[in-house]
């Protein structure tokens, strides 16, 4: 699994020009799922994300995690995170998991985060054309891959 995490002051997802989900202060997670991902990837990535100290403490130092700030989370499925541009100029998405594999893992990822956070997680709609609007705070953007553990 691959995640792009952005610290935000606000974010929203719209489908067909209608707001589908929105959050205030917190993080947006763009989540890509590949063929070989499994439950272990979910557990590792959810733990890593919720323990990321990317929020400022009272001294302006990034010492707090999402739970410390009572921040919100918005997850957006993003198969293009597995784009390969090795050959030619049209990206290949062959590494991205097909929906029959990705959707159950996406749902388990959301459920795991909700369990850790002890609150509802906002999401986009898997496999749908979405417009994501966000105000990146910092900007702070972190990329994490469960296979390389970084």
């Amino acid at each position: 699994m691959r995640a792009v995490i952005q610290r935000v002051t606000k974010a929203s997802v719209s489908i067909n020009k209608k707001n589908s989900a929105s959050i205030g202060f917190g993080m947006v997670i763009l989540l890509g799922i590949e063929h070989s991902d499994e439950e272990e990837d979910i557990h590792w990535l959810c733990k890593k994300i919720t323990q990321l100290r990317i929020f400022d403490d009272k001294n302006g130092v990034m010492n707090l995690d999402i739970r410390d700030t009572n921040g919100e989370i918005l997850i957006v499925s993003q198969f293009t995170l597995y784009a390969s541009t090795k050959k030619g100029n049209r990206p290949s998405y062959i590494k991205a998991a097909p929906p029959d594999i990705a959707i159950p893992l996406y749902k388990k990822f959301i459920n795991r985060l909700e369990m850790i956070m002890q609150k509802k997680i906002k999401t986009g709609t898997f496999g749908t054309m979405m417009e994501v609007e966000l105000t990146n705070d910092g900007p702070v953007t972190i990329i994490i891959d469960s296979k390389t553990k970084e």
Side-chain angles (χ1 to χ4, degrees):
M1 287 186 164
R2 191 169 286 163
V4 175
I5 296 112
Q6 296 182 312
R7 187 177 77 181
V8 299
T9 56
K10 63 182 177 179
S12 63
V13 173
S14 297
I15 299 170
N16 296 324
K17 306 290 183 198
K18 293 183 181 167
N19 187 303
S20 175
S22 61
I23 63 168
F25 179 80
M27 60 173 59
V28 170
I29 301 170
L30 305 176
L31 182 68
I33 301 169
E34 70 172 316
H35 293 276
S36 63
D37 287 332
E38 46 195 35
E39 298 260 350
E40 180 183 322
D41 296 281
I42 292 169
H43 289 272
W44 183 87
L45 189 55
C46 286
K47 181 178 178 185
K48 181 60 84 173
I49 288 170
T50 56
Q51 293 180 358
L52 270 181
R53 297 183 337 178
I54 61 171
F55 296 94
D56 294 347
D57 63 17
K58 63 182 177 183
N59 298 316
V61 177
M62 287 195 276
N63 261 336
L64 305 176
D65 66 35
I66 187 78
R67 294 166 299 169
D68 295 330
T69 64
N70 200 27
E72 297 180 276
I73 296 177
L74 173 63
I75 301 172
V76 179
S77 61
Q78 185 85 39
F79 76 92
T80 60
L81 291 179
Y82 280 102
S84 172
T85 58
K86 193 172 187 174
K87 289 174 53 181
N89 293 318
R90 177 175 289 165
S92 166
Y93 304 105
I94 197 159
K95 289 175 80 177
D100 62 315
I101 294 172
I103 291 172
L105 291 172
Y106 178 71
K107 289 178 179 176
K108 287 178 182 180
F109 181 87
I110 294 163
N111 291 337
R112 180 73 181 165
L113 265 184
E114 287 179 337
M115 187 185 83
I116 294 170
M117 293 292 295
Q118 294 293 297
K119 66 162 106 177
K120 186 82 174 141
I121 302 295
K122 305 282 181 74
T123 68
T125 303
F126 190 95
T128 301
M129 181 63 128
M130 297 172 274
E131 292 179 357
V132 180
E133 189 172 339
L134 60 89
T135 302
N136 194 316
D137 183 31
V140 174
T141 302
I142 309 290
I143 301 169
I144 303 176
D145 192 298
S146 66
K147 297 298 187 234
T148 60
K149 302 287 193 253
E150 62 177 6

